[in-house]
Amino acid sequence: PTRVATGTPQPAPQATAPAAVPQAPVVPRRSLQPGMRPLVVAIDAGHGGQDPGAIGLHGNREKDITLALARELARQVNATPGLKAVLTRDADVFLPLGQRARKASAAQADIFLSIHA
């Protein structure tokens, strides 16, 4: 192919290959040995109830976004062998931080993820 920019045909520049998108590393599936328990991931959807958190330009409330994200993350965690998700809240309710932490501790959580937007 050629292009005309100065009145004289010039070869078109060769298209470069698109940059490779980095791939997430493949994590081997963890098989549970006898006596082992799954790793517990406590997922805390920020805000809730009377505390809406931030409110976006179009009226989106942070508490709704964080709950939707937490539910989807829990679905993905539970679909991964060797992992188990525990939500600190699964409804539009307000829980003080101490109560959220106690729920995670009661579930013997190995990690506590607090989602905010």
Side-chain angles (χ1 to χ4, degrees):
T2 61
R3 69 178 177 167
V4 178
T6 60
T8 354
Q10 300 277 329
Q14 295 295 324
T16 58
V21 176
Q23 298 294 318
V26 176
V27 179
R29 300 281 178 164
R30 180 177 174 233
S31 60
L32 294 178
Q33 303 298 320
M36 291 179 70
R37 69 171 179 81
L39 293 175
V40 178
V41 180
I43 304 170
D44 175 47
H47 305 285
Q50 74 271 19
D51 177 10
I55 299 176
L57 290 174
H58 301 289
N60 295 323
R61 299 175 301 185
E62 183 177 5
K63 69 179 184 174
D64 300 328
I65 293 167
T66 60
L67 184 56
L69 283 169
R71 287 175 173 161
E72 174 58 19
L73 180 58
R75 185 194 67 74
Q76 291 183 27
V77 165
N78 286 328
T80 304
L83 297 179
K84 176 186 171 196
V86 173
L87 292 170
T88 58
R89 71 177 183 96
D90 193 21
D92 185 18
V93 295
F94 175 79
L95 298 172
L97 181 58
Q99 191 172 347
R100 295 168 191 247
R102 283 190 294 279
K103 279 187 156 192
S105 292
Q108 297 181 322
D110 295 290
I111 189 168
F112 183 92
L113 302 175
S114 185
I115 300 174
H116 288 267

